[in-house]
Amino acid sequence: MSNRKPATIAVRTGIESDTQHHAVVPPIYLSTNYGFPAFGEVPTYDYTRSGNPNRGLLETALYELESGKGAVVTNCGTSALNLWVSAFLGPEDTIIAPHDCYGGTYRLFNTRAQKGDFKVNFVDQSDEQAFDAALEQKPKLILLETPSNPLVRVVDIAAVCEKAKKVGALVAVDNTFLTPVYQKPLELGADFVIHSTTKYINGHSDVIGGVVITKTEEHAEELAWWGNCIGATGTPFDSYMTLRGIRTLGARMRVHEESSQQILDFLKPQPLVKVIYHPSLPEHPGHEIAKKQQSGFGSMLSFEFAGSFEQLKYFVGELELFSLAESLGGVESLICHPASMTHRAMGEEALAEAGVSQQLLRLSVGLEDAQDLIDDLAQAFEKASAFKG
Ligand SMILES: *Cc1c(COP(=O)(O)O)cnc(C)c1O
């Protein structure tokens, strides 16, 4: 049912599929192995590393949500990225990745490239000249991450895919920040979508998981083979939990976004807020592209704190409804200081190059009441401005 909307796919996938007891919610199958019906007759599922009913349902939900043809659910987002490069890259092949990509992705590609597994070229993908120069190396794969972390920079997916086709490169988009509710990369020309399902897809900060979704059945088969070969696949219990989280994806994404818009309006006139980064703002460099390729602006935002560094630390400490923690996309609101937390491994020079300053704070706006969140920010700003540290 390809014309169904994401919220419907998210709720209905697998409902009433149990033929034994007619359980409305699909049951969980923890068994590691499945009997062969007869000698030489291979069942749909034989061993859980290669396949399992719960993982199968989650894969169906995810590829239908992204309008793909297949998917492989992995044990984390990082292993989804690792599976993808393992399947398609050899020692002579090159991958182009964003210079400001997720820190773990940077570490993974960099480390494997140093071992000679493949070549990697980290490029500022918003710099057209740099990107075109990188394409001349005839890369086999291109990874996009849009919007990026933590400055929510936006890259034109359709434009990159068109250029990629001309040099025969395959494109994957890390769609973790927007989910298929707000962005459908396969419809814009991408060949793969990758998620850390740990974030919005599961949405409750209680499962680590990932997925690679493919535009073609052939790629899905190839990735499934590799997923089994290298042992990257997700567990039945995690799959069950993640599908449970997906049930509310449409409703969650809507409230995340509504609340983040209210918080943006509150932040704009704050004297302790210097620059705000969010694609919904007309002055954001990616605003027009975001309007074109996204159906919502998403709810990850960051801002430069205008006070002293001591005041910033005090502000963060006074917040009651924003937990100081990494990760994002859960029901609970989080605040993160990228320079000392998620991006601390980058080193000062790389941080400066990526535009991540010591004054930058990132918010993952959760599903608490928006006015309560604003009141909490207001009281912490007030205390911080009176603080003489
Ligand atoms: C968290 C994250 C990852 C890595 O996923 P894990 O589930 O933590 O392994 C990759 N890309 C993005 C954009 C992320 O936010």
Side-chain angles (χ1 to χ4, degrees), residues 36-105:
F36 282 53
F39 190 89
E41 249 182 72
V42 183
T44 311
Y45 300 110
D46 59 351
Y47 186 61
T48 281
R49 175 167 23 83
S50 60
N52 161 277
N54 295 99
R55 197 164 72 230
L57 280 181
L58 176 60
E59 287 167 349
T60 303
L62 286 166
Y63 76 69
E64 287 193 352
L65 280 167
E66 289 283 8
S67 302
K69 284 283 166 57
V72 180
V73 161
T74 56
N75 53 45
C76 65
T78 306
S79 66
L81 285 147
N82 196 37
L83 166 62
W84 180 58
V85 293
S86 300
F88 295 105
L89 293 180
E92 297 310 314
D93 298 321
T94 299
I95 177 170
I96 298 182
H99 78 310
D100 56 350
C101 65
Y102 178 76
T105 307

Side-chain angles (χ1 to χ4, degrees), residues 226-271:
W226 276 96
N228 184 50
C229 173
I230 66 176
T233 50
T235 70
F237 188 73
D238 288 354
S239 300
Y240 178 91
M241 290 287 284
T242 303
L243 188 59
R244 189 180 192 275
I246 283 182
R247 299 303 187 201
T248 54
L249 182 66
R252 281 191 284 113
M253 292 306 283
R254 195 163 58 232
V255 179
H256 278 300
E257 168 137 313
E258 281 166 11
S259 297
S260 68
Q261 283 300 322
Q262 289 182 48
I263 286 175
L264 283 167
D265 288 341
F266 165 79
L267 289 175
K268 281 174 208 166
Q270 288 304 314

Side-chain angles (χ1 to χ4, degrees), residues 120-357:
V120 65
N121 190 356
F122 294 103
V123 179
D124 178 352
Q125 297 180 333
S126 59
D127 177 346
E128 211 167 324
Q129 255 178 324
F131 188 73
D132 289 348
L135 281 182
E136 280 170 23
Q137 300 171 307
K138 297 254 182 293
K140 187 137 186 233
L141 298 180
I142 299 172
L143 176 71
L144 303 186
E145 213 184 286
T146 177
S148 73
N149 181 17
L151 292 169
V152 284
R153 292 193 180 107
V154 176
V155 177
D156 190 330
I157 297 173
V160 166
C161 290
E162 212 178 293
K163 285 182 183 178
K165 295 256 138 62
K166 288 191 186 131
V167 299
L170 296 169
V171 179
V173 176
D174 185 328
N175 203 22
T176 299
F177 269 38
L178 288 177
T179 81
V181 173
Y182 288 140
Q183 179 166 272
K184 303 279 289 281
L186 298 183
E187 291 179 355
L188 296 165
D191 303 283
F192 306 92
V193 173
I194 293 173
H195 282 278
S196 167
T197 58
T198 310
K199 318 293 166 55
Y200 289 102
I201 294 278
N202 177 59
H204 293 72
S205 305
D206 53 7
V207 183
I208 297 273
V211 68
V212 188
I213 296 152
T214 66
K215 185 161 44 209
T216 69
E217 273 159 24
E218 294 72 36
H219 281 153
E221 272 169 36
E222 223 172 321
L223 285 168
W225 187 91
W226 276 96
N228 184 50
C229 173
I230 66 176
T233 50
T235 70
F237 188 73
D238 288 354
S239 300
Y240 178 91
M241 290 287 284
T242 303
L243 188 59
R244 189 180 192 275
I246 283 182
R247 299 303 187 201
T248 54
L249 182 66
R252 281 191 284 113
M253 292 306 283
R254 195 163 58 232
V255 179
H256 278 300
E257 168 137 313
E258 281 166 11
S259 297
S260 68
Q261 283 300 322
Q262 289 182 48
I263 286 175
L264 283 167
D265 288 341
F266 165 79
L267 289 175
K268 281 174 208 166
Q270 288 304 314
L272 282 178
V273 173
K274 206 157 50 184
V275 192
I276 307 174
Y277 302 95
H278 191 260
S280 70
L281 302 171
E283 68 270 21
H284 188 277
H287 179 65
E288 290 304 321
I289 302 169
K291 271 207 306 203
K292 188 180 70 171
Q293 72 186 13
Q294 303 174 196
S295 54
F297 288 112
S299 47
M300 291 305 299
L301 63 101
S302 51
F303 65 90
E304 305 275 346
F305 189 85
S308 69
F309 193 56
E310 291 306 311
Q311 275 177 308
L312 175 149
K313 286 194 277 188
Y314 190 73
F315 166 76
V316 170
E318 287 303 309
L319 287 166
E320 289 171 10
L321 295 180
F322 289 83
S323 306
L324 180 64
E326 295 178 355
S327 199
L328 58 108
V331 293
E332 76 290 0
S333 290
L334 303 174
I335 189 161
C336 166
H337 178 249
S340 69
M341 297 168 67
T342 47
H343 292 62
R344 67 177 180 272
M346 281 173 73
E348 246 168 78
E349 207 173 307
L351 279 175
E353 204 172 305
V356 179
S357 81

